[in-house]
Amino acid sequence: MSANEFSPPIADGPIVVRRHRLSTRLWHWTNVVVFLVMLMSGLMIFNAHPRLYWGDYGANPDPAWLQIGAEQERGYLRVGTLQVDTTGVLGRWQNAEGAWQNRAFPHWVTIPSSYNLALSRRWHLTFGWLFAGGLALYALISLVNGHLRRDLLPKRAELAPSHLLGDIAAHARLKFPTGEAARHYNVLQKLAYLSVLAVLLPVLVLTGLTMSPTMVAAWPWLIDLFGGRQSARSIHFIAAFAMVAFIFVHLAMVVLAGPINEVRSMITGRYRLPQEKTR
Amino acid sequence: MTTLLSRRRLITGAALTGSAMALSGCDALGQSPAFRQFLSGGEWLSYRIQRFIVGDALAREYPPEALSPTFRMNGNTRPESAEWERYAASGFSDYRLRIDGLVARPQSISLTELRALPARTQITRHDCVEGWSAIGKWTGAQLGPLLERAGLAPNARYIVFHCADDFRGTPYYESIDLVEAFHPQTILAYDMNDGDLPMGHGAPLRLRVERQLGYKHAKFVMRIEAVESLERIGQGRGGFWEDAGAYEWYAGI
């Protein structure tokens, strides 16, 4: 049905719908804190060995596909044969007191802010349980209460190329659904949220577990799934940055779509349907 | 436009202030004893859950072609203790491994005797707490039969490994519980990659405890002590790095 046919009289004021369930809101705000802690403590753990490898083993004598380091007072990021000078940001940077440090990630993105592998591991491995537990619980709830099927899984028609292209074009012109169409996620939203919930977050948890020597003694299939322990570490890192990219896009969309209405809907659950602009 | 700018500035300003506060807040939290207690909860949970899931499962063993071309040496690569120097000078022919503490029959075992005991060869992956891994081949005496030979007292709960190397005068030591001590892959390795254990990898004897991180794999083992509690060893946290750097005693993750 077209939104126009059923557009409500504007005189009645904006339509407010219940947008997000309590479970979604709780999980969302828990993850704001938990993911930030996981990311920042993870960057400190990476600082202990700022090199990434493919396969099962990988240490300083072995070739790294990614490396952050410092040479002759210049910081660098090296990916394959490509090298970028990152002095001041990565590899070599100034701490809060202005002293130069040769470390991969700078103090303002790590927990704790000065080098401490032991403490960052404690943050990461304790919050990791909240992260994994929250994901498992939310996935289960979404499966049971129909959130996954009703709100997140795209309908067949939505996946038609013409519909997908139309949605992409609308997003590119920053035209967002209004009226009745805004009651549901559009197909790009569905695909974005679904890939985070069903792919990125589980991959982060599973690659994290693959790095645990006891865990892979219990579940050796994890090593095969990701192609080795060092591959799992690389994928863990890539997935974390894919999440960072998702969060930047997500925040940009919230700002563009009307931050007050959007943030309020994630706090109270109530969402005011954006009105038609055709009038 | 001005409202947009001011709103943007407001949001950016709030975000920056927020993250700065969050950062210094995290540092402060990390120092607070109560919060550290909370953070230790993760180690307790990992220990319980992983022990439950893993049972007696073996760590993966690899085919020979999977060996690291170069196995990175880490930590101390040559002890400075007089006792170790004396043994090294003799090619470890007069080295004796001592097993004491809560045992019925304290042992003093030469390398020749050790090589005659039940042994195991395994190609395994060594995972350092820092994130790197190396695959090596290890041959050594299984710890379980050795402990049976010494006769563990019923109240023995931990096995402590006293090492010849030190960091600024503090000797290295490590400890494991009996579950890990009696695991078939837990060996005292005297050979690595089909040769004698190289000095940098812990000659004459190195603990391999394959389901745990690298810092548990004590090198230059001189003495094994069975104890009821870890409180009186070192600073009481069960290992050199546990005492010094606050690494977790449970190193399964």
Side-chain angles (χ1 to χ4, degrees):
Chain A
M1 73 183 69
S2 132
N4 279 335
E5 289 171 64
F6 289 91
S7 64
I10 297 301
D12 288 359
I15 300 180
V16 175
V17 295
R18 287 195 57 206
R19 174 78 148 184
H20 301 297
R21 287 178 193 78
L22 183 63
S23 55
T24 302
R25 287 177 273 147
L26 279 176
W27 188 59
H28 176 271
W29 294 113
T30 311
N31 270 356
V32 169
V33 176
V34 171
F35 183 78
L36 215 58
V37 167
M38 292 307 283
L39 178 73
M40 295 172 75
S41 55
L43 294 180
M44 176 55 87
I45 295 175
F46 177 86
N47 276 359
H49 190 73
R51 301 162 57 96
L52 294 174
Y53 315 88
W54 295 116
D56 238 320
Y57 64 81
N60 302 56
D62 307 306
W65 69 268
L66 182 145
Q67 185 176 356
I68 299 175
E71 232 163 37
Q72 292 162 353
E73 314 218 321
R74 307 297 299 170
Y76 65 81
L77 163 69
R78 202 180 282 158
V79 182
T81 51
L82 182 80
Q83 180 161 321
V84 188
D85 189 319
T86 53
T87 312
V89 185
L90 297 175
R92 186 168 165 81
W93 38 267
Q94 285 171 293
N95 67 11
E97 286 79 44
W100 284 96
Q101 307 283 315
N102 286 358
R103 291 265 172 223
F105 285 103
H107 64 102
W108 50 273
V109 289
T110 61
I111 294 178
S113 58
S114 55
Y115 183 75
N116 189 332
L117 172 61
L119 193 51
S120 58
R121 271 173 53 82
R122 287 191 183 263
W123 277 95
H124 203 74
L125 299 178
T126 297
F127 277 76
W129 288 113
L130 294 174
F131 184 66
L135 174 65
L137 200 63
Y138 185 69
L140 192 71
I141 289 174
S142 300
L143 211 59
V144 171
N145 71 10
H147 177 47
L148 189 72
R149 179 179 43 79
R150 200 168 42 234
D151 306 323
L152 293 175
L153 279 179
K155 309 257 181 302
R156 189 177 290 268
E158 288 178 316
L159 289 174
S162 59
H163 183 91
L164 274 174
L165 287 173
D167 229 35
I168 291 170
H171 271 79
R173 283 180 277 128
L174 302 181
K175 276 187 64 185
F176 300 116
T178 53
E180 282 300 303
R183 274 186 190 270
H184 308 289
Y185 292 146
N186 59 65
V187 68
L188 293 187
Q189 270 181 303
K190 287 184 178 180
L191 290 176
Y193 296 151
L194 201 60
S195 53
V196 166
L197 178 65
V199 182
L200 276 186
L201 295 179
V203 161
L204 276 170
V205 171
L206 291 176
T207 49
L209 289 176
T210 308
M211 285 184 262
S212 150
T214 296
M215 213 57 223
V216 291
W219 296 348
W221 52 268
L222 279 172
I223 309 179
D224 303 315
L225 180 64
F226 296 110
R229 198 232 187 196
Q230 290 299 323
S231 293
R233 186 167 173 265
S234 290
I235 297 167
H236 195 69
F237 187 85
I238 293 168
F241 277 87
M243 271 304 295
V244 171
F246 164 77
I247 290 167
F248 273 110
V249 173
H250 177 62
L251 290 179
M253 291 317 228
V254 166
V255 170
L256 290 170
I260 294 175
N261 191 27
E262 295 288 341
V263 172
R264 186 184 52 197
S265 76
M266 195 42 93
I267 294 173
T268 66
R270 291 177 193 285
Y271 179 70
R272 181 170 47 78
L273 293 185
Q275 287 164 13
E276 317 276 339
K277 291 197 179 123
T278 44
R279 283 168 52 89
Chain B
M1 199 60 195
T2 44
T3 53
L4 182 69
L5 267 182
S6 63
R7 179 193 283 178
R8 183 178 297 165
R9 202 173 290 158
L10 191 73
I11 292 172
T12 321
L16 284 180
T17 318
S19 65
M21 275 172 55
L23 260 184
S24 54
C26 286
D27 281 351
L29 271 177
Q31 298 308 319
S32 117
F35 191 73
R36 272 178 178 260
Q37 191 74 30
F38 163 72
L39 286 185
S40 310
E43 180 186 3
W44 179 85
L45 207 57
S46 299
Y47 178 71
R48 293 296 154 120
I49 294 178
Q50 294 201 334
R51 271 294 157 77
F52 177 72
I53 297 175
V54 78
D56 316 320
L58 299 183
R60 167 159 293 188
E61 297 189 13
Y62 291 86
E65 56 271 21
L67 286 174
S68 288
T70 311
F71 197 112
R72 175 177 162 175
M73 281 183 190
N74 205 47
N76 288 320
T77 47
R78 188 188 174 97
E80 287 167 357
S81 89
E83 186 191 12
W84 186 88
E85 289 286 357
R86 209 170 53 243
Y87 290 146
S90 75
F92 299 107
S93 62
D94 55 0
Y95 165 86
R96 296 287 181 280
L97 170 71
R98 283 169 287 146
I99 304 179
D100 55 21
L102 297 175
V103 294
R105 300 172 290 277
Q107 306 280 313
S108 173
I109 311 173
S110 74
L111 276 182
T112 318
E113 286 175 280
L114 215 54
R115 283 180 180 275
L117 291 174
R120 197 173 194 285
T121 295
Q122 56 209 30
I123 299 179
T124 51
R125 202 189 58 244
H126 179 90
D127 297 330
C128 178
V129 64
E130 293 172 352
W132 54 269
S133 309
I135 297 180
K137 181 176 182 180
W138 309 93
T139 302
Q142 285 182 305
L143 182 61
L146 261 178
L147 293 175
E148 275 162 10
R149 174 172 148 144
L152 277 189
N155 57 339
R157 288 190 54 214
Y158 299 96
I159 306 299
V160 181
F161 302 85
H162 297 277
C163 306
D165 60 322
D166 66 84
F167 285 90
R168 291 185 192 162
T170 308
Y172 200 87
Y173 79 100
E174 255 306 340
S175 63
I176 56 177
D177 63 11
L178 297 186
V179 172
E180 225 57 64
F182 283 91
H183 187 261
Q185 282 172 323
T186 301
I187 61 174
L188 293 165
Y190 38 69
D191 284 347
M192 178 190 182
N193 293 346
D194 296 317
D196 286 343
L197 183 66
M199 178 163 50
H201 287 295
L205 219 50
R206 170 189 209 162
L207 174 68
R208 296 298 311 169
V209 46
E210 303 292 357
R211 303 187 300 180
Q212 305 238 347
L213 295 174
Y215 61 89
K216 300 302 276 190
H217 301 229
K219 305 200 284 191
F220 317 107
V221 175
M222 296 282 112
R223 175 179 162 228
I224 294 174
E225 182 187 9
V227 296
E228 186 172 6
S229 153
L230 297 170
E231 268 170 42
R232 289 171 173 216
I233 318 275
Q235 288 175 42
R237 295 201 191 93
F240 173 82
W241 288 115
E242 287 89 326
D243 285 342
Y247 285 158
E248 295 89 345
W249 174 81
Y250 178 67
I253 184 162

